Amino acid sequence: MQTLDLAGIGIGPFNLSLAALLAPVPGVRARFFERRPAFDWHPGMMLPGTRMQTSYLKDLATPVDPTSPYGFLSYLVEKGRFYRFINADFPRVRRVEFADYLRWAAERVPNLGFGQGVRGVEFDGRGFRLSLGDGRAVSARHLAVATGMAPHVPPWAERHLGKHCWHSHSYMNAEFSVENRRVAIIGGGQSGAEIFLELMAGARGRAADVTWITRRPNLDPLDETAFINEYFTPDYLRHFHRLPEERRSALARSHKLTGDGVSPVTLQELSQYLYERDFLAGDAATPYRVLPQREVYLMGREPGGFHLRMNNGFNHGEEAASADLVILATGYRYALPDCLAALTPALSLDPEGFPRLAEDYSAQWDGPAEHRIYMLNAGRNSHGVADAQLSLAAWRSAVIVNSVAGREVYATEPCPSPLTWAGTQPGGRRESQPAARLCSS
C-alpha cells in the first residue's frame, strides 16, 4: 500500500479546513478518516435562531486563500443566495446556515473517508500504521489528530446520566417534554442561555419552573471588542507561544470570557424576554430562578426527581434545589482519543493533560522528528484561547500544510498587532518582530 504523507483522524471543522487547503497542493498525499457516515456539526445544539459567535469570513479557507472553492462566499454563490445574504446584512450568520456550509464543503473536498473509523495507531519505525474499523490498514508519514473535545460531566452528576439527566451536546436530539415538570439547567455559558430561553418560551411544553444555575459570578458576556479580538490573531499567537509554559497556562485561563461567554445579543434578548415575562405576560408565564455564583457539589435522587445541593459564593450560604429534569450545559474537556492509546506514553503532556506542541502544532514525542503528530484543538496552553475557536482554524491549517509540504504553500507570517505584546528582553535586547509579509501599505 502506498504510504500517505498525512493521515487525518476525525473530520470536524478543523481537519475539514486542513483537507480543503491540502486539496490543491500537488505532491502531498493525504486522506482523512471519520467513523460517522457523514459530516454533521454539533447537531445536538442547532437550536432555532441561534447565531455564530465568529465572522463568516473566518471559514475553512478564506483567511489564507480567498480564492478557495471551499469558502463561505463560494457556498453562497453556488446556492444562488449571495445578493440576498448581503442585502439581509446579518450581524452574525445563523448557526444552522454555517453548519450547512460545512456540510456542503465536506461533500466537495476530496480525500475524506466517512464511515471509516480509526481503531488504533501504532508506530512501526518507518511511519504510522492506522487500523481502520473495516479491518484495513493505512500507513502514513504524519498524523493530524482533530477528534474534538469530550462533553464534561461533573463527577456529582455522572451516575445520574440517563433519560432525566443529560449533557447539552445532545439537547436537540433528546426526546422530552417539560410540561408541568421542574427543570434545572447547570452552566452559565452560551449553551445554558440558549436552552433557558427556549424552555422559557415553551418550545418543549410549559415547565412547572425553570432554575438556571451557574458558578460564574454573573451572566458574563463574551468579550468580542476590537482589541480583545487581537487574542485571535496570528501575531498574538506567535508571541504567546514564546512564553514559558506556566505563564501560557495562566494566561489561557484568564482569557476564558474571550471565547466562553454569552454573546451580548443573546444577553439583550434574555433581558428583554424576562422583562416582558415579569411585567407583561400575566399569570401564564413560567416561574423561573437565575442563580449565579452557585457551585453544585451534590446531586441525589428523591421521590419523583433530583435534589441538588450547592454553595452560594456570594454570601457563603448553603442552598438546595429540586428538579425533575437536569440539563448539564457544563462545557467540554480535552482528552486524547482512545485510538492513540499505543502512542500516548510517547507524548509529552503538560500538567493539565494537554500535549506540548511546537509552533507548527506538532506534538513533542519520543519518536523520530521526521514523523510528526499534528494536534488540532489541543493547543489551549501552547497557542492560546483561540485554538478551540474557528477564528484561526484556516491559518492553523496553512501552518500545518507548510510543515507537511516542507515549503511555503501559504503565506502565514502575521501582520503586526497595534498592541506591543513584548518589550525588551533581559539584557536590554528588543524581541525581534515577525516579518509583516501579509501587510501592505
Side-chain angles (χ1 to χ4, degrees), residues 11-168:
I11 305 177
F14 295 154
N15 258 350
L16 181 58
S17 170
L18 181 56
L21 291 182
L22 276 170
V25 179
V28 178
R29 300 179 301 276
R31 188 163 182 83
F32 296 76
F33 302 94
E34 168 61 52
R35 60 180 174 79
R36 296 175 300 173
F39 188 92
D40 203 4
W41 185 55
H42 292 314
M45 279 306 295
M46 287 296 157
L47 280 75
T50 53
R51 299 180 184 274
M52 296 291 294
Q53 293 181 317
T54 304
S55 168
Y56 62 85
L57 291 177
K58 296 178 179 180
D59 59 24
L60 299 173
T62 296
V64 294
D65 182 8
T67 67
S68 170
Y70 308 116
F72 184 76
L73 295 182
S74 295
Y75 160 82
L76 292 177
V77 170
E78 182 170 310
K79 292 287 185 179
R81 60 176 82 150
F82 176 84
Y83 292 104
R84 288 285 300 274
F85 178 85
I86 296 299
N87 291 341
D89 197 22
F90 291 109
R92 285 287 188 269
V93 176
R94 297 283 188 187
R95 194 180 297 161
V96 66
E97 183 170 30
F98 203 80
D100 187 62
Y101 152 66
L102 294 174
R103 189 181 307 111
W104 169 88
E107 293 170 354
R108 287 154 178 76
V109 173
N111 297 328
L112 302 182
F114 289 99
Q116 300 178 15
V118 178
R119 292 188 304 177
V121 183
E122 296 181 342
F123 184 73
D124 61 10
R126 295 173 298 174
F128 299 101
R129 185 174 178 83
L130 290 74
S131 301
L132 304 183
D134 59 6
R136 294 183 299 120
V138 174
S139 296
R141 289 197 301 123
H142 308 300
L143 296 177
V145 182
T147 49
M149 299 281 193
H152 170 62
V153 176
W156 47 262
E158 289 175 347
R159 68 189 183 95
H160 299 293
L161 289 177
K163 65 178 182 178
H164 297 113
C165 174
W166 66 96
H167 192 275
S168 62

Side-chain angles (χ1 to χ4, degrees), residues 72-397:
F72 184 76
L73 295 182
S74 295
Y75 160 82
L76 292 177
V77 170
E78 182 170 310
K79 292 287 185 179
R81 60 176 82 150
F82 176 84
Y83 292 104
R84 288 285 300 274
F85 178 85
I86 296 299
N87 291 341
D89 197 22
F90 291 109
R92 285 287 188 269
V93 176
R94 297 283 188 187
R95 194 180 297 161
V96 66
E97 183 170 30
F98 203 80
D100 187 62
Y101 152 66
L102 294 174
R103 189 181 307 111
W104 169 88
E107 293 170 354
R108 287 154 178 76
V109 173
N111 297 328
L112 302 182
F114 289 99
Q116 300 178 15
V118 178
R119 292 188 304 177
V121 183
E122 296 181 342
F123 184 73
D124 61 10
R126 295 173 298 174
F128 299 101
R129 185 174 178 83
L130 290 74
S131 301
L132 304 183
D134 59 6
R136 294 183 299 120
V138 174
S139 296
R141 289 197 301 123
H142 308 300
L143 296 177
V145 182
T147 49
M149 299 281 193
H152 170 62
V153 176
W156 47 262
E158 289 175 347
R159 68 189 183 95
H160 299 293
L161 289 177
K163 65 178 182 178
H164 297 113
C165 174
W166 66 96
H167 192 275
S168 62
H169 83 284
S170 59
Y171 175 81
M172 289 299 291
N173 297 329
E175 295 183 4
F176 69 97
S177 169
V178 301
E179 187 71 30
N180 294 321
R181 306 173 91 177
R182 302 162 298 169
V183 184
I185 304 165
I186 316 296
Q190 183 72 20
S191 296
E194 291 171 355
I195 291 171
F196 178 81
L197 275 168
E198 181 177 82
L199 295 184
M200 289 294 294
R204 301 273 186 161
R206 184 184 175 189
D209 63 68
V210 178
T211 302
W212 183 14
I213 303 169
T214 174
R215 63 184 178 183
R216 304 183 192 209
N218 204 327
L219 302 183
D220 295 324
L222 178 76
D223 194 340
E224 51 184 352
T225 50
F227 292 103
I228 289 296
N229 279 339
E230 289 294 324
Y231 295 151
F232 295 82
T233 63
D235 180 69
Y236 178 78
L237 183 148
R238 290 281 175 88
H239 286 288
F240 183 92
H241 191 270
R242 296 169 188 162
L243 294 171
E245 181 178 289
E246 62 276 9
R247 178 61 182 148
R248 294 199 306 259
S249 179
L251 271 178
R253 289 193 297 271
S254 73
H255 294 163
K256 179 180 176 66
L257 290 178
T258 65
D260 187 25
V262 184
S263 66
V265 66
T266 302
L267 288 176
Q268 183 179 37
E269 180 184 354
L270 176 62
S271 179
Q272 292 173 352
Y273 175 85
L274 294 181
Y275 178 93
E276 293 173 354
R277 179 257 172 239
D278 290 348
F279 303 117
L280 306 177
D283 295 336
T286 300
Y288 74 93
R289 290 192 300 165
V290 180
L291 306 179
Q293 214 158 333
R294 268 71 163 193
E295 178 82 40
V296 177
Y297 65 87
L298 182 66
M299 179 176 176
R301 281 294 252 174
E302 63 180 16
F306 297 105
H307 184 72
L308 301 170
R309 298 288 301 179
M310 63 192 105
N311 293 316
N312 186 323
F314 181 72
N315 62 8
H316 302 291
E318 287 280 322
E319 297 179 3
S322 295
D324 302 305
L325 300 173
V326 176
I327 302 170
L328 303 168
T330 45
Y332 299 81
R333 293 289 185 272
Y334 179 76
L336 289 166
D338 293 339
C339 65
L340 291 188
L343 299 178
T344 299
L347 293 170
S348 177
L349 305 179
D350 71 15
E352 297 182 59
F354 287 91
R356 293 186 169 96
L357 303 182
E359 195 167 303
D360 67 354
Y361 295 92
S362 61
Q364 296 180 25
W365 76 304
D366 293 341
E370 61 268 25
H371 296 282
R372 294 183 289 277
I373 306 171
Y374 300 100
M375 309 290 281
L376 295 80
N377 200 6
R380 188 200 72 176
N381 289 350
S382 60
H383 291 74
V385 69
D387 192 69
Q389 311 296 326
L390 287 170
S391 295
L392 289 177
W395 182 84
R396 173 179 54 201
S397 295

Side-chain angles (χ1 to χ4, degrees), residues 60 415 430:
L60 299 173
C415 178
R430 295 287 296 182

